[in-house]
Amino acid sequence: MTALAPTAPAPTSTPPTNLRARVRRNPAPYLLALAGAAWLLVLFVIPLISGLAVSLMTGNPQEGYTFTWNWGVYGQLFGPGASTPYWLFLGRGIFYGVMATIVTILVGYPMAYFIAFRARPEWKNALLLLVMLSFLVSFIIRTDMWAFLLSDQGPVLTVLRGIHLVGKDFHILGTNAAVIGGLAYNDLAFMVLPIYLALERIDPRLIEASADLYGKKPATFFHTVLPLTRSGIFAGILLVFIDSAGDPVSPSLLGGTHTYTIGQAIQDAYLTNQQYNVAAALSTVLMIVLGVILFAYARIAGTDNIEDLV
Amino acid sequence: MTPTDPAVMRGLTQARLSRRTLLRGAVTGLGAMAMAATLAGCGIKGSDAGQAARNIDWKAFWASQKKTGHLDFANWPLYIDQDKGKIPSLEMFTKATGIKVNYQAVIQNNAPFYATIAPQLRAQQSIGYDIIVMTNGWEVTELINNGFVMELDHSRLPNFAKYAADNVKNPPYDPNNAHSVVWQSGFTGLAYNKKLAPKKVTSFQDLLDPAFAGHVGMMNDNTELGGAGLLATGVKPVDSTPDDWRRAAEWLIKARSNVSGYYDQSYIDKLQNGDTWVSQAWSGDIFQAQANGATDIEFVVPEEGQAIWHDNMMIPMQAQHPVDALEWMNFYYTPEIAGIVEDWVNYICPVPDAKQYIADELEDPDVSDSPLVFPTADMEARSNELYVFKNYDEYELWNSIFNPVIQS
Amino acid sequence: MSTATSAPAAVAAPTAPPKKRKGPWLPIFFWVFLVITLLPIITMIVYSFNDTPTSRITFRWHGFTTYWYQNLTQVQGLPEAFLLSVVIALLSAIISIALGVPLAMALERYKFWGKSALSTTVFADIAAPSIVVGAASLSFFLSSNITLGFWTVLLVHVTFCLAYVVVVVRARLSGSGMVLEQAAADLGATPLVAFTKVTLPLLVPGMIAAGALALAMSIDDYVITSFVAGPAVTFPLFVYGAAKVGLPPQVLCFGTIIFVIGLLVMLLNSWITRRGQR
């Protein structure tokens, strides 16, 4: 009986003051949430803390690692005396994240707009399907296909050279542009979908009213449609930026010598060099930097709790 | 609600960062610290604490092992004969001995593969393979010194004693072949695309030529890369000192402006599709590419010399089917099987008698007469062994000098 | 958040925007970029039929063949990797639904101590970059001496699928409240009956959607898996390793088959919904 009873306490009684009383009053949510919460605690929260702990260890693969509260590792890796420019890789990762986000907005917004407003209603789902279609294939296969298509002797550049659009020395792979293109390509769906959903929610009469007020289409767009889809854009920015900033696959398959990024550095430190403390420190710093950026972003968007944005 | 309503004023002006959020943050932080401290008790085991401590009676061990009929073989890509997806030598092995082989070309480079298996070896667990093939270098030294690989029972390897070349018996990194037998040896030199390259490549200094800008490939294995740098600056790797290493790294950084990427075995892909015109290359890969139609690619022994290395078959500890592994090693060391594998792989064959087999039975003089597969004394004179690390600190120093070349 | 509120029933259905002359640039833009997104897929399908002399894909066209489709299992390790990916994806989907649906119900319908912390944790689980999650999980397994392999991959996959399940199910549940269950209780249903006859049917579409999402996320995951797999090889790991030296054509065949199956499922789904609407 109590499992389905409403939980809001009667307005006149005082709320329970301690946990045990609350649980006894209504055990339902605690029972429901227990398994999932325990799982998240053990396999999500604790590993994050464990990452911090490993970063504070010293040692090497030969002798093993022991916990020594070695805060100095952060200074070693990012301070002025660092032997490897990790700060550069971190900055590059953020740069790629920002650029990929911008590209997905510039490409994804018009696509979502087209489906929402310019397509016949019966075709909308089909068109959305078409946009999502490429994501049925493993993204590594897709990225590898791009590496082929864009290679120097591959079809794209051969055609471009044939019609004399580019010079003989022009190449795409190995540049920042190739990496950003790859990141944007793989995350396009994350931007199109939220924007499309936000556009769909707009009442068409608002657009009519706006057209009556402003008269010109660009004004309608910028003053009415764009602000109404803010939540969709914000959701897309969140997903794309976080995914792209730390991604090691696109720089690895499409990049060259000066595209080494923080994601690859973390992977190499763990999976090639077994420098677990360095790797964990890099990962913790990335997490903190992204967290700070997210928090600032949420504040700019006007809320204390970032969940309200999505 | 007029704007002067005190409740509204409070709402408008209340600080976002209330005492509550601060307190919440502080509690979370302290909790995290406490957890970190408790987790601190668990450190991460190193190799030293591992298996070397155990003294194993190998005679008794091998006496108790039996053939199981299954073999898990981990190797590098492009390292065994292929026939449209089938592996003839392994099929002959299965027919002769009844042992089914699960062949996995999972080893892309020494350091990443070692990083994958090391935690399990330290925990004394099976890594899922009975034979692994690794290049003589830091990882092989580690595996042997830490007791991560089994001692071989040479009484079951009569073919090795009979057919193996002298220079693969009793190597300096594994006296008396106690733990390993050579699978293939190989040269690391330069390869270039005759059609696309603006000029012929004969020396490491050609990599600095601006004509090759953006089309030079190098390896991302620190040992190979450092070896190339040392040879380019005129130093034999085995005799080099840390100062030599620093000079080599400077040369490599000078070359980096021409380099399009630092590759693992994917350099061969880039050479074949024309993205790179010249690259550090392994001799056998180039042979195979030529046989597969990439006739524009040529292997070059640089004037300064090339590197020679040996890939070794080893049996990791806790392997599930060690006797079957020995059976394969024995089966391989015959002119016939080594010849069949060699005819396809085109690296340096550890069985000199295979030369006759390839010339007569397989009728392939391109391979049997090649000094890159059956080296002449002249070829051996131009080849240099890679540097041998004495301990982890040396290895770490080498890495710290050469990593910045790749990570830029 | 859209500020448009639900239209009052009294007003007539909104009319379409006045028919003005619409520029061609937007459709052109859309179709051009759509083709660009599908270009790698087309390449993959075309080259899975290429008759290469070696067993690695090459971009010179050698002739049409279905040999690679006939010999899908020839590549050592590929079928096993694919099977492992499918098994892990199915198990992850099932377990994360079992854990996530109750969690979503608790978060959406009740207020309780720790709700905001739990909600934030779920959000962090989705938002956290894969590389950080993978690195942290690896640190955890290493320092606890847990062997890397099938079980660690499964554990980590369930962890990130859980967050997606919770979000999807919460979205489905939001707005419906407990009204229907209370109505059922008023009509005399016991809690169990109310649950099975009212709550569960409501949840099923959400569970299917969440399950499909979890399946998709798990099968395609590379970054997190690369950290915690140890010796286990899943399909994305296999492809990434093989891509360095040259993919075997069978990988393209697998990709094509999965693509075609997914396409058929999507078409079937929309055909069924279209029929349902009539």
Side-chain angles (χ1 to χ4, degrees):
Chain A
M1 207 65 207
T2 50
L4 293 174
T7 57
T12 49
S13 66
T14 54
T17 45
N18 65 355
L19 182 57
R20 187 171 293 176
R22 287 194 203 202
V23 176
R24 218 178 295 137
R25 253 180 88 93
N26 189 357
Y30 299 97
L31 287 174
L32 283 175
L34 186 64
W39 188 285
L40 281 176
L41 181 69
V42 173
L43 283 165
F44 178 67
V45 177
I46 292 191
L48 287 176
I49 299 176
S50 180
L52 178 66
V54 172
S55 74
L56 300 176
M57 293 187 183
T58 44
N60 59 46
Q62 190 67 8
E63 293 148 21
Y65 290 90
T66 46
F67 191 78
T68 56
W69 289 103
N70 181 24
W71 295 98
V73 68
Y74 291 99
Q76 276 165 9
L77 293 177
F78 290 94
S83 56
T84 328
Y86 288 115
W87 55 269
L88 175 64
F89 306 148
L90 184 62
R92 213 179 254 155
I94 307 285
F95 170 68
Y96 287 154
V98 169
M99 295 304 293
T101 311
I102 293 177
V103 171
T104 46
I105 292 180
L106 291 176
V107 172
Y109 202 107
M111 289 180 86
Y113 191 90
F114 173 81
I115 303 179
F117 289 127
R118 293 287 293 271
R120 297 226 298 267
E122 58 263 25
W123 290 116
K124 280 192 190 177
N125 271 334
L127 285 175
L128 206 58
L129 214 102
L130 273 181
V131 173
M132 305 290 149
L133 197 59
S134 55
F135 294 88
L136 284 177
V137 179
S138 165
F139 83 99
I140 299 186
I141 297 184
R142 281 183 288 142
T143 314
D144 198 48
M145 288 294 112
W146 274 121
F148 149 59
L149 284 170
L150 297 175
S151 63
D152 283 0
Q153 310 296 322
V156 169
L157 283 181
T158 318
V159 163
L160 286 179
R161 272 197 296 261
I163 60 179
H164 295 292
L165 212 62
V166 297
K168 203 166 95 76
D169 270 346
F170 185 73
H171 64 274
I172 298 181
L173 285 184
T175 58
N176 284 332
V179 175
I180 293 171
L183 290 169
Y185 173 78
N186 281 317
D187 286 334
L188 192 58
F190 285 145
M191 186 61 81
V192 169
L193 205 53
I195 294 181
Y196 171 75
L197 291 175
L199 283 170
E200 278 289 292
R201 281 204 288 254
I202 299 180
D203 190 339
R205 295 172 305 157
L206 285 170
I207 302 186
E208 266 187 65
S210 165
D212 289 340
L213 279 175
Y214 289 109
K216 295 211 288 235
K217 286 199 75 185
T220 310
F221 176 74
F222 283 106
H223 287 283
T224 311
V225 178
L226 199 56
L228 285 174
T229 53
R230 239 181 45 194
S231 72
I233 301 181
F234 282 162
I237 290 181
L238 196 77
L239 294 169
V240 174
F241 177 70
I242 292 192
D243 199 40
S244 306
D247 184 46
V249 178
S250 288
S252 169
L253 290 177
L254 299 171
T257 44
H258 292 283
T259 59
Y260 196 78
T261 181
I262 189 80
Q264 290 173 285
I266 295 176
Q267 247 194 347
D268 283 345
Y270 269 112
L271 302 176
T272 304
N273 299 321
Q274 296 182 69
Q275 293 171 299
Y276 298 131
N277 55 345
V278 169
L282 292 174
S283 163
T284 310
V285 168
L286 178 66
M287 181 172 68
I288 293 178
V289 167
L290 287 180
V292 165
I293 293 180
L294 266 190
F295 189 69
Y297 172 73
R299 286 305 219 104
I300 293 173
T303 166
D304 208 5
N305 186 355
I306 198 165
E307 284 185 71
D308 295 342
L309 282 179
V310 184
Chain B
M1 270 205 297
T2 66
T4 53
D5 187 339
V8 174
M9 290 306 283
R10 268 202 306 274
L12 283 175
T13 55
Q14 187 175 48
R16 296 283 184 85
L17 206 60
S18 68
R19 207 175 60 202
R20 207 138 177 255
T21 38
L22 267 178
L23 205 60
R24 224 183 272 167
V27 167
T28 341
L30 279 173
M33 288 290 108
M35 279 185 147
T38 42
L39 285 171
C42 338
I44 302 179
K45 259 201 297 205
S47 313
D48 282 347
Q51 323 215 21
R54 299 174 19 195
N55 289 322
I56 302 175
D57 181 354
W58 288 107
K59 264 194 155 50
F61 172 77
W62 285 113
S64 68
Q65 293 297 314
K66 295 209 193 318
K67 190 165 111 171
T68 60
H70 185 85
L71 177 65
D72 292 305
F73 188 171
N75 205 344
W76 300 62
L78 308 180
Y79 230 12
I80 204 167
D81 52 314
Q82 299 257 24
D83 179 24
K84 265 281 221 222
K86 297 199 233 288
I87 305 178
S89 60
L90 289 180
E91 288 183 353
M92 291 171 68
F93 176 64
T94 309
K95 218 156 62 144
T97 61
I99 300 175
K100 287 211 183 18
V101 183
N102 172 20
Y103 183 82
Q104 301 280 347
V106 287
I107 307 181
Q108 303 272 338
N109 217 335
N110 291 299
F113 186 70
Y114 182 64
T116 312
I117 63 177
Q120 289 163 289
L121 290 169
R122 289 186 196 118
Q124 297 176 14
Q125 283 152 2
S126 162
I127 66 172
Y129 299 111
D130 308 302
I131 298 184
I132 58 176
V133 176
M134 308 215 45
T135 319
N136 64 314
W138 175 245
E139 290 76 20
V140 166
T141 314
E142 275 272 291
L143 287 168
I144 294 177
N145 287 347
N146 292 326
F148 286 157
V149 288
M150 295 187 181
E151 280 193 21
L152 303 176
D153 180 3
H154 279 275
S155 69
R156 302 199 207 209
L157 296 176
N159 286 339
F160 178 74
K162 188 162 160 207
Y163 289 115
D166 287 329
N167 63 3
V168 302
K169 285 192 182 155
N170 198 13
Y173 53 85
D174 183 24
N176 294 319
N177 293 100
H179 302 91
S180 66
V181 291
V182 167
W183 168 252
Q184 297 280 319
S185 308
F187 295 121
T188 310
L190 293 174
Y192 75 108
N193 188 321
K194 282 192 298 224
K195 206 162 66 143
L196 293 172
K199 55 185 254 244
K200 203 160 126 70
V201 169
T202 53
S203 137
F204 279 113
Q205 309 309 324
D206 288 329
L207 299 179
L208 296 174
D209 193 328
F212 285 105
H215 297 279
V216 175
M218 299 208 81
M219 294 193 174
N220 69 3
D221 177 270
N222 280 335
T223 320
E224 292 272 25
L225 188 64
L230 286 168
L231 286 172
T233 49
V235 179
K236 272 176 142 40
V238 282
D239 303 325
S240 55
T241 65
D243 284 329
D244 295 325
W245 303 348
R246 291 196 186 90
R247 267 193 294 274
E250 277 166 24
W251 185 91
L252 287 168
I253 292 181
K254 222 172 25 158
R256 189 168 65 196
S257 49
N258 277 357
V259 173
S260 68
Y262 294 94
Y263 306 110
D264 49 19
Q265 197 155 11
S266 53
Y267 77 86
I268 189 70
D269 201 31
K270 300 280 187 232
L271 260 182
Q272 283 184 289
N273 72 13
D275 276 356
T276 51
W277 298 343
V278 60
S279 173
Q280 252 188 309
W282 290 324
S283 53
D285 287 355
I286 304 304
F287 252 111
Q288 290 175 34
Q290 288 168 345
N292 289 332
T295 45
D296 299 324
I297 303 183
E298 193 176 294
F299 183 79
V300 168
V301 180
E303 283 165 4
E304 298 90 341
Q306 62 185 357
I308 181 174
W309 41 262
H310 310 278
D311 277 345
N312 307 279
M313 289 191 277
M314 293 178 283
I315 306 180
M317 290 293 272
Q318 284 92 35
Q320 306 278 308
H321 319 282
V323 174
D324 309 72
L326 283 182
E327 289 250 11
W328 166 253
M329 291 178 181
N330 195 41
F331 189 76
Y332 172 68
Y333 265 92
T334 54
E336 190 193 359
I337 304 298
I340 291 175
V341 172
E342 202 55 53
D343 195 43
W344 207 94
V345 169
N346 297 321
Y347 276 95
I348 304 175
C349 190
V351 176
D353 290 340
K355 179 173 169 143
Q356 207 55 41
Y357 180 82
I358 296 175
D360 298 338
E361 305 291 331
L362 300 176
E363 292 172 7
D364 193 355
D366 287 333
V367 174
S368 63
D369 293 341
S370 167
L372 290 171
V373 181
F374 295 99
T376 56
D378 167 61
M379 185 60 73
E380 290 190 5
R382 298 158 74 185
S383 314
N384 305 276
E385 294 277 350
L386 296 172
Y387 183 78
V388 177
F389 298 102
K390 300 188 214 27
N391 53 45
Y392 182 75
D393 292 326
E394 267 204 341
Y395 181 61
E396 210 177 345
L397 182 60
W398 175 284
N399 277 343
S400 70
I401 293 176
F402 289 109
N403 264 338
V405 176
I406 302 174
Q407 297 175 334
S408 67
Chain C
M1 302 286 183
S2 172
T3 53
T5 49
S6 51
V11 181
T15 56
K19 296 242 189 297
K20 290 206 193 91
R21 201 178 27 130
K22 295 186 182 173
W25 295 113
L26 195 57
I28 291 177
F29 185 93
F30 177 81
W31 290 108
V32 163
F33 273 96
L34 189 65
V35 169
I36 290 180
T37 60
L38 292 175
L39 215 50
I41 317 293
I42 300 170
T43 317
M44 174 187 75
I45 298 177
V46 165
Y47 280 95
S48 68
F49 291 105
N50 189 12
D51 188 6
T52 65
T54 71
S55 40
R56 302 219 162 306
I57 55 173
T58 169
F59 299 110
R60 280 175 221 115
W61 184 255
H62 289 273
F64 183 90
T65 179
T66 54
Y67 177 82
W68 307 114
Y69 284 94
Q70 292 157 4
N71 289 289
L72 274 180
T73 51
Q74 214 176 52
V75 179
Q76 296 260 13
L78 178 56
E80 291 87 350
F82 186 70
L83 193 64
L84 185 66
S85 277
V86 169
V87 166
I88 289 185
L90 285 172
L91 287 177
S92 303
I94 294 173
I95 299 177
S96 57
I97 288 182
L99 291 172
V101 168
L103 186 55
M105 284 175 66
L107 284 173
E108 190 60 28
R109 291 181 160 185
Y110 299 89
K111 284 156 76 121
F112 55 96
W113 177 84
K115 171 174 170 169
S116 71
L118 198 52
S119 196
T120 317
T121 310
V122 171
F123 177 76
D125 195 3
I126 285 197
S130 305
I131 197 127
V132 169
V133 171
S137 306
L138 179 58
S139 300
F140 174 63
F141 292 135
L142 282 173
S143 51
S144 324
N145 270 318
I146 299 176
T147 333
L148 302 173
F150 173 82
W151 290 107
T152 50
V153 176
L154 184 61
L155 288 176
V156 174
H157 276 226
V158 170
T159 313
F160 71 76
C161 287
L162 185 56
Y164 287 107
V165 168
V166 168
V167 165
V168 169
V169 175
R170 271 189 84 171
R172 289 277 177 164
L173 283 177
S174 75
S176 66
M178 304 273 275
V179 174
L180 290 170
E181 282 88 350
Q182 286 178 315
D186 289 341
L187 288 171
T190 63
L192 189 62
V193 172
F195 180 73
T196 46
K197 288 235 179 325
V198 177
T199 320
L200 213 50
L202 269 181
L203 284 175
V204 166
M207 280 166 66
I208 294 182
L213 185 61
L215 210 68
M217 302 256 78
S218 167
I219 255 193
D220 204 20
D221 180 68
Y222 168 75
V223 180
I224 301 184
T225 317
S226 72
F227 280 99
V228 298
V233 182
T234 63
F235 186 67
L237 287 179
F238 184 92
V239 177
Y240 185 79
K244 302 293 200 99
V245 202
L247 288 177
Q250 284 91 339
V251 170
L252 297 188
C253 298
F254 263 99
T256 310
I257 293 175
I258 298 171
F259 176 74
V260 168
I261 292 179
L263 185 60
L264 287 176
V265 166
M266 277 186 172
L267 289 175
L268 195 68
N269 188 31
S270 53
W271 182 70
I272 290 182
T273 10
R274 192 97 48 94
R275 280 199 50 181
Q277 279 167 354
R278 291 201 206 117

